[in-house]
């Protein structure tokens, strides 16, 4: 099994927007109660935030965290989640059949984002509510002082505005499961009017309009076209959501999920640009892939969860090693489309379909999928190279011809570093990598090789074995043999790899 890659610093696909490594905390299951927030936990701080969870979040360097939903937002009354905590009402969340105590509201979320060093990305309810509630929420959050709602915020203890820049105009409004589900025409016209009101308040706000809940929706891509025809000039981003699954236990098809993600992104780009052409617009719509992950393990268990309690164990997928490989390829796909995908949120962050798991009252640990996300966030912030590449491939019913190798290269002109993310999709065969780096001058060296590998595809990290799937860092030059700048290396079957090189090329001249 072989692949050949030619990389040249002068051929770039674009620079990654750091917001590609964002995440999502929904008022769902134990994401908040028992995850982010657990007063009484031995490691909780004075705000009730779990410091062990905060440390794991900080290490991921997520630039944005989306909140408060998700499906939750479509029946959410934001006024319930502000003000003195002991006066806040307990509500029924119809999206997840859960009791919502409103103890962790907007002020608490903002304090938490500051402590973990991230920025909020808020969603407004366009399911049961509309322009007035959205306008009021933005005024409450962002107006400095001297208006009724900004002064209300100040009376609630937040003197400074929260200054939330990114706003999602509802969530998955194409989905029949959504409280307040709408047709594309209804939603497009509402989103355009809400967007107009928010931009009248502050034209620098960045607005995300809902695209389809996934590419299999019967209304995709007509939904995107209709919605954009109405809202094009007022919005900045169109959302994409997609979750990948392995119900059939078919490794090769599952590992090809990123080919589906590539096609989804490229299809949505075409629709955006078609509407742009129809409107003779100068403006380009960018993409916010604000929900993506593997999600299927917990579906059966969720049906047995008790309803109308606080913090039920919902969507608690326990991720396997093979899920981590898929997440690695999905990250490659997002980075490869950095010219149009500016924001992406791994859904979600803690406990619910998350890279971080906790036991209520107990420890926190990293799931397998934590690792590819950690390294992509750390080393993926650079220029994505437009590779010339060939590889042995396989045929798969769902996705067609799929290369066994999935490479992505990031060049960092500021220090000359070059990173190769590479997944070997073959479960059985070692992959020989032929890498032509002649476009990088003579002084190229391998810094390190980080590998995520396990002999059991179904291996998981759990409370007892939190580091069962753990990256190994291999140092030294034995990894690649070199003939000038033609490098030859090997990667293990079913492995995620990061090769880091140093070069003396400090710019693209
Ligand atoms: O992330 C879990 C759920 O998936 C979100 O609430 C919803 O937007 C999507 O269907």
């Amino acid at each position: 099994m072989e692949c050949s890659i030619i990389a040249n610093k002068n051929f770039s696909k674009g620079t990654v927007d750091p917001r590609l490594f964002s995440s999502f905390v929904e008022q769902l299951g134990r994401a908040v109660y028992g995850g982010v927030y657990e007063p009484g936990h031995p490691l909780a701080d004075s705000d009730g935030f779990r410091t062990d969870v905060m440390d794991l979040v900080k290490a991921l360097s997520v630039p944005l965290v989306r909140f408060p939903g998700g499906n939750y937002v479509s029946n959410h009354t934001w006024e319930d989640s502000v003000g003195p905590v002991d006066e806040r009402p307990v509500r029924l969340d119809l999206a997840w059949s859960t009791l919502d105590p409103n103890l962790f509201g907007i002020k608490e979320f903002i304090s938490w984002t500051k402590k973990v060093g991230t920025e909020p990305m808020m969603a407004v309810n366009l399911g049961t509510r509309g322009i007035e509630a959205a306008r009021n929420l933005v005024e409450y959050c962002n107006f400095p002082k001297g208006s009724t709602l900004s002064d209300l915020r100040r009376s609630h203890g937040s003197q400074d505005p929260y200054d939330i820049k990114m706003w999602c105009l509802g969530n998955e409004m194409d989905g029949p499961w959504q409280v307040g589900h709408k047709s594309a025409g209804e939603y497009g016209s509402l989103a355009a009017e809400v967007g107009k009101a928010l931009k009248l308040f502050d034209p620098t706000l960045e607005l995300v309009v809902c695209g389809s809940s996934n590419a299999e929706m019967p209304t995709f891509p007509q939904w995107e076209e209709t919605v954009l025809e109405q809202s094009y000039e007022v919005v900045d981003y169109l959302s994409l959501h997609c979750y990948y699954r392995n119900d059939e236990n078919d490794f090769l098809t599952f590992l090809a999920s990123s080919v589906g993600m590539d096609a989804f992104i490229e299809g949505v780009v075409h629709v955006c640009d078609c509407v742009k052409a129809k409107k003779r617009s100068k403006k380009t719509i960018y993409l916010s892939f604000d929900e993506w992950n593997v999600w299927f393990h917990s579906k059966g268990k969720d049906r047995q969860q008790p309803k109308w309690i606080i913090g039920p164990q919902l969507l608690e997928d326990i991720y396997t090693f093979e899920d981590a490989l898929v997440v690695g390829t999905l990250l490659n796909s997002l980075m490869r489309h950095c010219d149009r995908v500016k924001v992406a949120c791994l859904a979600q962050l803690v406990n619910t379909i998350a890279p971080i798991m906790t036991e209520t009252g107990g420890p926190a640990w990293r799931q397998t999928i934590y690792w590819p996300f950690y390294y992509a966030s750390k080393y993926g912030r650079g220029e994505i190279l437009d590779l010339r590449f060939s590889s042995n491939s396989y045929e798969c019913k769902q996705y067609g011809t799929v290369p066994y190798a999935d490479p992505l290269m990031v060049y960092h002109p500021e220090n000359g570093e070059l990173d190769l993310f590479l997944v070997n999709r073959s479960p059985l065969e070692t992959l020989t990598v032929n890498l032509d780096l002649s476009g990088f001058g003579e002084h190229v060296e391998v810094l390190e090789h980080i590998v995520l590998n396990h002999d059991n595809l179904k291996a998981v990290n759990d409370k007892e074995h939190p580091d069962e799937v753990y990256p190994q860092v291999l140092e030294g030059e034995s990894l690649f043999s070199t003939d000038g700048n033609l490098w030859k290396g090997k990667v293990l079957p079913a492995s995620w790899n990061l090769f880091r090189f140093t070069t003396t090329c400090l710019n693209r001249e």
Side-chain angles (χ1 to χ4, degrees):
M1 187 84 54
E2 234 172 314
C3 83
S4 298
I5 305 168
I6 306 174
N8 187 304
K9 65 183 187 309
N10 293 317
F11 300 137
S12 157
K13 287 199 153 193
T15 303
V16 166
D17 186 320
R19 296 175 301 172
L20 215 61
F21 308 111
S22 299
S23 191
F24 177 29
V25 170
E26 179 166 5
Q27 296 278 16
L28 193 189
R30 294 192 308 123
V32 170
Y33 301 104
V36 160
Y37 176 78
E38 195 184 332
H41 188 280
L43 295 176
D45 69 7
S46 55
D47 286 324
F49 305 155
R50 284 186 63 153
T51 54
D52 51 350
V53 172
M54 285 201 288
D55 289 344
L56 293 173
V57 174
K58 279 187 215 163
L60 289 177
S61 295
V62 283
L64 280 177
V65 175
R66 185 166 171 254
F67 181 80
N71 296 340
Y72 169 89
V73 80
S74 295
N75 72 144
H76 179 232
T77 305
W78 70 262
E79 296 87 341
D80 294 343
S81 69
V82 299
V85 173
D86 51 5
E87 290 173 20
R88 295 184 195 165
V90 176
R91 293 283 190 200
L92 299 186
D93 166 33
L94 302 179
W96 302 105
S97 307
T98 301
L99 212 53
D100 177 9
N102 277 306
L103 301 174
F104 185 92
I106 296 175
K107 182 178 174 199
E108 293 73 25
F109 174 62
I110 297 295
S111 312
W112 182 82
T113 58
K114 289 192 191 322
K115 285 190 178 178
V116 297
T118 187
E119 293 282 331
M121 175 188 194
M122 285 279 284
V124 299
N125 173 358
L126 296 191
T128 59
R129 309 188 82 187
I131 303 176
E132 191 177 14
R135 182 204 68 146
N136 288 350
L137 173 58
V138 175
E139 179 185 326
Y140 177 90
C141 290
N142 283 8
F143 199 66
K145 62 178 177 180
S147 73
T148 304
L149 290 169
S150 57
D151 288 345
L152 182 65
R153 182 199 68 240
R154 289 163 65 86
S155 77
H156 292 159
S158 300
Q159 298 305 311
D160 294 332
Y162 299 144
D163 200 20
I164 301 169
K165 283 285 170 221
M166 283 209 90
W167 292 86
C168 302
L169 302 174
N171 176 71
E172 295 190 352
M173 301 309 300
D174 63 324
W177 58 86
Q178 202 69 214
V179 178
H181 165 228
K182 293 179 175 42
S183 70
E186 289 164 343
Y187 171 68
S189 113
L190 178 61
E193 288 306 313
V194 173
K196 184 171 86 187
L198 300 193
K199 292 246 166 139
L200 284 170
F201 169 78
D202 177 357
T204 71
L205 296 181
E206 296 190 88
L207 305 181
V208 186
V209 74
C210 291
S212 295
S213 303
N214 60 70
E216 307 311 316
M217 293 299 288
T219 46
F220 172 77
Q222 187 57 50
W223 172 275
E224 279 73 1
E225 187 171 355
T226 307
V227 166
L228 283 178
E229 269 166 3
Q230 298 185 71
S231 60
Y232 197 91
E233 292 305 334
V234 96
V235 301
D236 305 285
Y237 303 88
L238 178 74
S239 77
L240 294 83
H241 289 181
C242 199
Y243 294 97
Y244 300 88
R245 39 198 310 143
N246 187 17
D247 300 294
E248 309 295 327
N249 196 19
D250 174 348
F251 178 80
L252 283 174
T253 300
F254 187 39
L255 261 284
S257 299
S258 63
V259 177
M261 182 184 250
D262 290 340
F264 187 23
I265 292 170
E266 286 156 26
V268 172
V269 165
H270 287 138
V271 182
C272 292
D273 292 348
C274 169
V275 179
K276 177 179 183 173
K278 277 195 198 171
K279 289 187 172 286
R280 277 84 172 139
S281 177
K282 298 264 179 295
K283 173 177 171 179
T284 298
I285 296 287
Y286 291 98
L287 308 189
S288 172
F289 212 128
D290 45 42
E291 287 189 33
W292 70 271
N293 201 349
V294 170
W295 172 18
F296 70 104
H297 296 285
S298 57
K299 296 266 178 181
K301 204 173 152 212
D302 283 354
R303 286 190 275 275
Q304 292 150 24
Q305 284 299 310
K307 292 188 171 187
W308 313 120
I309 63 166
I310 298 168
Q313 286 189 282
L314 287 175
L315 280 64
E316 297 203 2
D317 272 39
I318 306 301
Y319 289 113
T320 61
F321 165 61
E322 72 182 7
D323 297 330
L325 296 178
V326 169
V327 164
T329 60
L330 296 173
L331 284 159
N332 284 354
S333 170
L334 291 167
M335 291 189 273
R336 200 176 288 129
H337 293 95
C338 66
D339 56 333
R340 291 304 282 268
V341 183
K342 297 294 171 189
V343 179
C345 303
L346 174 66
Q348 299 191 12
L349 190 56
V350 187
N351 288 332
T352 47
I353 43 174
I356 298 166
M357 223 37 219
T358 74
E359 182 180 76
T360 304
W365 61 96
R366 304 173 194 92
Q367 294 232 57
T368 61
I369 63 167
Y370 185 97
W371 290 114
F373 190 86
Y374 169 86
Y375 284 109
S377 178
K378 190 164 181 180
Y379 295 114
R381 300 172 192 218
E383 287 189 19
I384 302 303
L385 297 181
D386 192 2
L387 303 177
R388 292 296 167 271
F389 135 82
S390 63
S391 160
N392 293 97
S393 55
Y394 59 97
E395 291 305 314
C396 134
K397 205 167 145 209
Q398 200 173 337
Y399 300 111
T401 305
V402 180
Y404 280 108
D406 181 29
L408 179 107
M409 292 195 79
V410 191
Y411 170 48
H412 305 272
E414 69 286 358
N415 59 12
E417 198 176 301
L418 188 60
D419 297 311
L420 165 63
F421 292 91
L422 179 62
V423 173
N424 180 2
R425 292 185 171 108
S426 169
L428 301 173
E429 290 191 48
T430 297
L431 180 74
T432 300
V433 185
N434 301 299
L435 180 59
D436 181 341
L437 294 181
S438 41
F440 281 90
E442 286 176 9
H443 304 287
V444 180
E445 282 176 25
V446 184
L447 209 57
E448 60 180 357
H449 174 193
I450 300 160
V451 62
L452 197 64
N453 168 248
H454 201 285
D455 51 17
N456 176 8
L457 294 172
K458 306 295 180 190
V460 300
N461 292 345
D462 57 22
K463 185 183 149 193
E464 277 75 35
H465 310 96
D467 296 330
E468 181 65 30
V469 178
Y470 197 84
Q472 285 178 42
V473 182
L474 311 173
E475 284 174 28
E477 293 193 17
S478 58
L479 315 161
F480 265 98
S481 60
T482 169
D483 173 10
N485 262 356
L486 299 179
W487 298 75
K488 207 182 220 357
K490 289 196 186 302
V491 300
L492 294 167
S495 62
W496 172 97
N497 302 269
L498 168 60
F499 291 96
R500 299 184 55 230
F501 297 90
T502 54
T503 78
T504 48
C505 296
L506 294 188
N507 55 52
R508 298 176 59 231
E509 290 311 306

